[in-house]
Amino acid sequence: MAKTYDYLFKLLLIGDSGVGKTSILFRFSEDAFNISFISTIGIDFKIRTIDLDGKKVKLQIWDTAGQERFRTITTAYYRGSMGIMLVYDVTNEKSFENIKNWIRNIEENASADVEKMILGNKCDLDSKRQVSKERGEQLAVEYQIKFVETSAKDSLNVEYAFYTLARDIKAKMEKKQEASNPPGARGGTHQLKSNDQQRKPPSWLSRCSIL
Amino acid sequence: MSCSSTEDLPDQYKELFTQDGVLLKACIGRPISDLNSIGMLCVVQNSDGTKCIEWRPNDLITIDSDTQDQEWAVVNTIGRRQRTLSGNMTSDYAAARARIVRIPLAELKTFKVTRNNQQMQFSTKSGVWQNTFYFQHGNAEIFVAYLKNHVKTAKTRHDRNTYVVVESNIDSQALNKSFTELDIFTENTTDVVWSLVSNFKQRPYETTMEAFSKLTDIVWSVLVYYGNEGLNGKRDVSEEVADLLTKSMSALEDTTSITKSDEYEVITVKPTLPPRPCIPRGTPLSTEKWEGLQDTEGRILEVEGVKQLIFRGGVAHSIRPAVWKYLLDYYPWRSTHSEIRKIQKRKTEEYFSMKLQWRSITERQESRFSEYRERKSLVEKDVNRTDRSHPFFAGDNNPNVLLLQDILMTYVMYNFDLGYVQGMSDVLAPLLLLLGNEVDSFWCFAGFMEKIASNFDMDQAGMKQQLLNLQQLLTFAVPDLAKHLASKDSGNMYFCFRWLLVWFKREFSFSDIMRLWEVLWTGLPCANFHLLICVAILDAEKDVLISKDYGFNEILKHVNDLSMCLDIDKILSTAEGIYHQLMSAPHLTDQIRIILGIPTAANNPNDRNEESESEDLGDEEPGRENARNQANGYTRI
Ligand SMILES: Nc1nc2c(ncn2[C@@H]2O[C@H](COP(=O)(O)OP(=O)(O)O)[C@@H](O)[C@H]2O)c(=O)[nH]1
Ligand SMILES: [Mg+2]
């Protein structure tokens, strides 16, 4: 069976309950929004393949239940993830404050070089806003993580966020490959490597299945 | 066991049974400083022959044990205990001795096992639980089983977890007999019947099944239709059944010993389960039958019989609102019409006073009450995304969504420590849909929560325990699938998390979930039957999962996608079939028995006769008990 993608990235959505993780994922994978969406119990993932600089990148995006007490179970699924979206709700101060806790949670449970991005969701609800864009940006600078405000409802910046995260992961991965290539064997060997990736999913995939 | 070396204890003082790692949680009349310490719970025999339940703090046990060599301690626990007890009478030691808790068996009135079988409470006078113990390692089942050797108990009608001591200090032999009669027969009719089937092992499968269906019919009619006279009828039948049971058991033992005598067979032949019987589902409990089961004043007398009927076929939709209130412990089964009216009145007042508590919290109060605010915000978020596609909850400003919120908020006040946990709104929705009424829904919800409270533990210990138990059941019942899952790093069964957390609510339509829940609420045919539901669903998916060599991700996806594609009657029937397979498996392990809440080998009269040379089981050496428990992994040193 022919592989339909060049890369497969495992991504993770985390953040407090109700910030819109499932809605963001639904927007990205189905391009739809449902105001009465069902709350997430346990764990699930969705797939979408995107085109990134000429490469087919299959994104496997994991969605988790947000409530604190389920973390012991959900963190079991962190391992092997290459990118994490930290989501808060701009109309909920508490969810913003908790981003710091979620970052700590990642540090304890995910691999150290995982790519991260902070999303301030529900930016369509301007009248209810509790967290300014500036505070979001400031937090991102503090942690040196990329940041964007999104709206799953109005489909604002959701595509942008996933493309950006995926591109960063791809860049990091290719840089690593290059570094591991013996000098002088550039070009041909690199090409070969890249083909290799096509047939066999990258090594992190096997890592991901050893959860 | 000889205790002559112990100086400060009576000559004939004996530890009959010990369970380590037991926390003293509450004890009337003791200072708080005595509580929450770990110790050992024992059954001891005094010099005058009377027996006591005794709890001793660990500092007493380890007071002068300078020999902390782990290996030695494991091998020779009893020796270590004796030695330490005979140690110097330091003041610490005396203080520790003062903390010993003693409950003379002769005075024991009731005891209760709760919290996922990990908590035991004792009472020597009605109305108060004097002592509460928490079993940190494993659970209280072995202790209860042992206790039943020394006191004759009956389960209370309204609460399966509460045991009333009918007679204390009884002769164990006599008890074992009545145990077979009472416990096994009344609680697990189908067990007994199925055990009989193993007698017909040599016959073709069809014949067995035919015989089985006939037998079950007979037994059920005795149970369900004889009403009051059935009590006598029951005894007679039960004796017959017990006889047959013994025969079938010895037949099974023969088979095992043959295998045992041939070493090669043991190695090459894997023990397999007997064929799975196909047990058809029954018809739902009808209005006529339900009305017929009540006496003129509305009492339901044959509770076990009613539960059997509900287990077999569920409840007709029109009488669900009535029957569920009993199944969910809102109404006691034996209450009269007038008692029920009183209960309704009292519970209505209680509900509204709790509701008023949170309704009267002002905005300013709320702004300084973060724990309340957090709970409230979680509830609001979840009711807005609970079953909104169902007409009952659909649309903007739907009053039923507000009801959902009010009930959950009141539950937060009812159980503030637990608070609101995701999944609760899912559990409540079908109850509210069916009952319509706010107060009834609340109390039925509270009753349901009692049954699944451990699912929502802060540390998720209850969920983890269930996932582990599920894995053990699957390994025994469907070993090839268990092996496949383990090889795909899915042995922790996390992919079943959603099933267990809300009792399959997300997997079935409203009408199917109502059927499944009412069957599960009966508590029949064994403890943790919901785990056998999991096994049944997984068993049906086994071929796909294995033949397509599904890995970690695909397993989760496949299981998640089963939602709304499952046939409830087929699953219930399969689960019951698996239950009977397990019950008649000659190689059934104590681990499985404990999960299913059936007597372990250590407590099985048949095995006991074989093992114990002495007639009086009260004299059985604790060392042997201990060794057995260690083998089961239940007593930790
Ligand atoms: N206005 C608005 N509402 C949103 C947005 N994203 C999610 N929601 C709503 O917020 C609630 C929680 O969303 P959900 O995706 O279930 O959150 P999760 O718990 O993080 O998965 C739902 O009622 C959504 O309809 C958004 O971008 N704008
Ligand atoms: Mg969600």
Side-chain angles (χ1 to χ4, degrees):
Chain A
M1 200 173 67
K3 268 266 172 336
T4 51
Y5 57 87
D6 302 305
Y7 296 112
L8 186 107
F9 295 167
K10 177 178 173 178
L11 310 180
L12 203 65
L13 282 157
I14 60 177
D16 282 7
S17 173
V19 296
K21 298 179 295 296
T22 306
S23 299
I24 289 173
L25 181 54
F26 193 57
R27 165 64 68 195
F28 184 67
S29 63
E30 324 285 334
D31 198 19
F33 177 78
N34 183 348
I35 191 80
S36 52
F37 223 68
I38 201 155
S39 65
T40 313
I41 294 183
I43 333 98
D44 201 0
F45 66 86
K46 288 221 182 299
I47 300 272
R48 182 176 155 191
T49 304
I50 60 170
D51 202 73
L52 208 61
D53 314 320
K55 292 267 186 282
K56 289 233 174 301
V57 179
K58 184 169 168 177
L59 302 178
Q60 182 192 67
I61 309 160
W62 291 70
D63 184 21
T64 56
Q67 201 170 350
E68 168 126 24
R69 71 188 73 202
F70 298 131
R71 260 181 232 177
T72 48
I73 305 276
T74 51
T75 49
Y77 289 82
Y78 284 20
R79 246 185 298 164
S81 56
M82 308 165 77
I84 295 182
M85 293 287 192
L86 291 142
V87 189
Y88 69 89
D89 172 354
V90 300
T91 71
N92 184 321
E93 172 76 33
K94 184 90 196 178
S95 74
F96 177 70
E97 287 164 18
N98 272 338
I99 288 288
K100 292 187 179 184
N101 295 330
W102 284 111
I103 290 176
R104 199 171 322 126
N105 187 237
I106 295 174
E107 282 164 359
E108 285 163 11
N109 295 288
S111 57
D113 62 345
V114 66
E115 286 291 328
K116 294 178 279 270
M117 189 160 183
I118 297 175
L119 306 187
N121 190 41
K122 304 197 193 178
C123 70
D124 57 288
L125 295 174
D126 230 11
S127 59
K128 290 191 187 165
R129 184 187 278 274
Q130 288 181 358
V131 186
S132 70
K133 194 172 172 184
E134 288 68 36
R135 288 176 66 201
E137 282 164 350
Q138 209 180 326
L139 182 77
V141 169
E142 199 179 308
Y143 283 97
Q144 300 201 302
I145 301 175
K146 282 188 184 168
F147 164 77
V148 70
E149 283 198 345
T150 58
S151 167
K153 184 163 178 262
D154 291 354
S155 190
L156 198 77
N157 288 337
V158 174
E159 294 270 308
Y160 168 80
F162 281 103
Y163 273 82
T164 305
L165 189 65
R167 193 169 282 122
D168 288 352
I169 296 167
K170 182 167 164 279
K172 183 182 262 182
M173 212 167 88
E174 287 170 348
K175 215 164 106 192
K176 265 192 196 164
Q177 273 170 26
E178 221 137 294
S180 64
N181 267 352
R186 288 276 156 94
T189 323
H190 180 86
Q191 204 51 45
L192 235 170
K193 266 241 153 198
S194 193
N195 280 340
D196 232 25
Q197 290 291 359
Q198 289 183 30
R199 242 168 277 122
K200 204 169 154 276
S203 62
W204 65 265
L205 183 63
S206 41
R207 236 196 299 144
C208 137
S209 57
I210 313 171
L211 284 177
Chain B
M1 152 182 153
S2 151
C3 279
S4 51
S5 64
T6 49
E7 289 156 5
D8 60 319
L9 296 167
D11 262 5
Q12 299 300 309
Y13 177 91
K14 283 179 202 165
E15 285 177 354
L16 301 177
F17 183 82
T18 62
Q19 167 83 54
D20 282 295
V22 178
L23 189 83
L24 179 65
K25 269 180 75 177
C27 181
I28 286 182
R30 291 294 171 107
I32 288 180
S33 56
D34 278 12
L35 305 182
N36 285 321
S37 43
I38 312 266
M40 180 169 80
L41 194 64
C42 340
V43 176
V44 299
Q45 183 166 20
N46 299 314
S47 53
D48 59 0
T50 60
K51 289 166 195 147
C52 258
I53 294 167
E54 193 172 289
W55 176 87
R56 266 181 246 147
N58 266 1
D59 22 357
L60 174 66
I61 300 164
T62 53
I63 194 114
D64 70 344
S65 55
D66 41 5
T67 18
Q68 289 288 356
D69 180 27
Q70 203 51 38
E71 269 184 359
W72 178 78
V74 171
V75 179
N76 197 356
T77 4
I78 303 300
R80 177 173 143 225
R81 271 188 204 116
Q82 271 175 22
R83 202 181 284 200
T84 51
L85 282 172
S86 64
N88 301 331
M89 280 288 280
T90 62
S91 60
D92 282 356
Y93 182 70
R97 277 195 55 80
R99 285 164 54 204
I100 291 181
V101 176
R102 283 208 181 83
I103 310 160
L105 279 191
E107 290 170 28
L108 184 63
K109 293 271 188 310
T110 53
F111 58 93
K112 183 175 175 179
V113 187
T114 49
R115 304 226 49 160
N116 208 18
N117 274 327
Q118 287 193 291
Q119 180 170 296
M120 256 188 112
Q121 289 169 292
F122 297 94
S123 170
T124 54
K125 62 173 185 247
S126 53
V128 228
W129 295 111
Q130 279 112 339
N131 308 286
T132 305
F133 297 100
Y134 188 76
F135 288 65
Q136 293 196 310
H137 312 141
N139 57 37
E141 262 149 336
I142 294 180
F143 192 84
V144 171
Y146 190 78
L147 205 55
K148 282 181 174 174
N149 285 332
H150 296 284
V151 290
K152 184 170 174 177
T153 60
K155 286 193 180 178
T156 52
R157 288 256 172 189
H158 58 278
D159 182 356
R160 290 174 58 81
N161 300 320
T162 304
Y163 300 81
V164 176
V165 177
V166 189
E167 203 181 316
S168 57
N169 220 5
I170 41 134
D171 168 48
S172 337
Q173 278 312 89
L175 173 76
N176 283 334
K177 202 165 165 231
S178 55
F179 185 67
T180 330
E181 288 166 12
L182 286 170
D183 235 343
I184 301 182
F185 188 68
T186 56
E187 304 249 334
N188 290 319
T189 323
T190 48
D191 285 14
V192 179
V193 176
W194 178 245
S195 300
L196 292 178
V197 177
S198 42
N199 244 359
F200 307 118
K201 262 176 100 170
Q202 300 84 345
R203 297 194 201 169
Y205 185 61
E206 296 77 15
T207 327
T208 315
M209 286 308 104
E210 196 189 296
F212 174 68
S213 62
K214 276 183 194 151
L215 270 165
T216 46
D217 279 346
I218 294 165
V219 178
W220 281 322
S221 46
V222 170
L223 251 183
V224 179
Y225 300 108
Y226 272 41
N228 288 334
E229 298 125 300
L231 280 172
N232 297 326
K234 237 189 242 177
R235 275 271 145 70
D236 296 338
V237 177
S238 91
E239 265 160 25
E240 269 177 50
V241 169
D243 262 7
L244 283 162
L245 175 63
T246 318
K247 262 187 222 154
S248 72
M249 290 296 278
S250 50
L252 287 178
E253 269 153 25
D254 286 350
T255 347
T256 356
S257 57
I258 289 165
T259 338
K260 267 183 199 154
S261 69
D262 188 340
E263 294 287 323
Y264 286 120
E265 296 283 17
V266 175
I267 297 157
T268 51
V269 177
K270 253 201 272 167
T272 51
L273 289 176
R276 183 178 307 165
C278 171
I279 302 162
R281 300 286 304 153
T283 51
L285 176 67
S286 65
T287 316
E288 301 75 50
K289 217 176 250 171
W290 171 247
E291 281 165 0
L293 286 158
Q294 305 177 30
D295 72 6
T296 48
E297 288 175 273
R299 294 186 196 88
I300 290 131
L301 301 170
E302 275 303 309
V303 180
E304 286 308 314
V306 180
K307 285 186 182 171
Q308 280 284 354
L309 284 174
I310 297 172
F311 174 72
R312 289 247 58 75
V315 180
H317 191 71
S318 60
I319 53 167
R320 273 186 177 139
V323 180
W324 281 19
K325 288 173 190 141
Y326 294 90
L327 284 171
L328 290 170
D329 302 319
Y330 178 21
Y331 300 164
W333 291 94
R334 295 172 73 85
S335 46
T336 62
H337 291 311
S338 76
E339 281 164 348
I340 283 178
R341 274 192 295 276
K342 274 188 212 133
I343 291 168
Q344 280 171 328
K345 187 164 174 287
R346 201 180 67 233
K347 295 280 189 178
T348 305
E349 281 163 13
E350 194 180 342
Y351 175 79
F352 284 108
S353 86
M354 287 188 291
K355 187 175 176 181
L356 190 65
Q357 285 167 7
W358 66 268
R359 292 283 269 212
S360 56
I361 290 179
T362 64
E363 237 172 82
R364 286 171 63 92
Q365 262 182 303
E366 196 179 318
S367 69
R368 292 182 294 257
F369 194 176
S370 63
E371 290 196 21
Y372 170 80
R373 218 167 47 233
E374 276 161 29
R375 287 161 172 75
K376 187 178 166 203
S377 139
L378 279 170
V379 170
E380 281 170 359
K381 273 178 197 140
D382 270 13
V383 294
N384 281 315
R385 40 183 184 162
T386 301
D387 293 311
R388 296 301 296 279
S389 52
H390 191 284
F392 189 76
F393 295 109
D396 290 344
N397 303 317
N398 184 319
N400 294 323
V401 175
L402 279 180
L403 271 184
L404 213 50
Q405 180 169 337
D406 284 1
I407 296 169
L408 290 169
M409 282 307 294
T410 308
Y411 188 79
V412 165
M413 296 318 279
Y414 175 75
N415 196 347
F416 196 83
D417 287 344
L418 181 61
Y420 175 78
V421 186
Q422 288 195 296
M424 288 186 187
S425 66
D426 270 277
V427 170
L428 173 59
L431 300 177
L432 182 60
L433 171 69
L434 184 89
L435 298 163
N437 171 302
E438 183 175 352
V439 176
D440 291 346
S441 303
F442 174 84
W443 289 110
C444 285
F445 174 69
F448 195 176
M449 283 302 298
E450 276 301 299
K451 295 181 195 287
I452 55 172
S454 78
N455 285 10
F456 300 98
D457 283 345
M458 191 62 215
D459 59 0
Q460 289 286 286
M463 283 300 294
K464 285 179 188 162
Q465 182 64 47
Q466 287 182 72
L467 291 164
L468 182 67
N469 287 346
L470 171 58
Q471 191 251 331
Q472 290 165 345
L473 285 171
L474 193 74
T475 303
F476 191 83
V478 196
D480 43 348
L481 179 59
K483 207 173 133 207
H484 177 81
L485 294 175
S487 74
K488 304 295 177 187
D489 295 301
S490 299
N492 60 16
M493 309 300 287
Y494 278 10
F495 57 89
C496 297
F497 182 85
R498 188 175 75 194
W499 293 0
L500 296 177
L501 185 79
V502 290
W503 270 24
F504 309 95
K505 159 66 171 44
R506 290 283 175 92
E507 321 308 318
F508 293 100
S509 68
F510 269 80
S511 64
D512 285 353
I513 200 64
M514 289 182 180
R515 172 61 29 86
L516 175 60
W517 282 357
E518 63 203 10
V519 168
L520 291 177
W521 290 333
T522 64
L524 295 173
C526 59
N528 284 316
F529 187 64
H530 67 295
L531 297 182
L532 292 183
I533 299 282
C534 297
V535 175
I537 300 174
L538 291 173
D539 185 66
E541 302 306 317
K542 182 179 98 171
D543 291 342
V544 178
L545 294 172
I546 295 178
S547 70
K548 294 199 180 167
D549 195 33
Y550 275 171
F552 182 84
N553 297 330
E554 290 101 337
I555 292 168
L556 177 88
K557 197 82 193 155
H558 185 78
V559 164
N560 278 348
D561 289 349
L562 291 174
S563 171
M564 302 297 154
C565 301
L566 298 163
D567 177 339
I568 187 63
D569 285 327
K570 208 167 128 201
I571 288 162
L572 280 169
S573 169
T574 309
E576 196 185 353
I578 293 171
Y579 165 74
H580 290 303
Q581 278 184 295
L582 296 181
M583 287 306 105
S584 55
H587 61 296
L588 188 67
T589 60
D590 274 356
Q591 188 183 51
I592 304 294
R593 287 194 185 94
I594 287 167
I595 295 171
L596 301 182
I598 56 169
T600 55
N603 195 37
N604 185 314
N606 292 297
D607 287 9
R608 196 176 280 270
N609 287 342
E610 233 195 277
E611 275 181 41
S612 164
E613 307 87 57
S614 99
E615 286 286 279
D616 184 0
L617 287 157
D619 278 332
E620 187 174 9
E621 287 180 32
R624 184 187 298 181
E625 269 310 327
N626 248 12
R628 218 183 261 152
N629 295 335
Q630 277 163 22
N632 300 338
Y634 269 81
T635 305
R636 251 187 52 185
I637 315 296

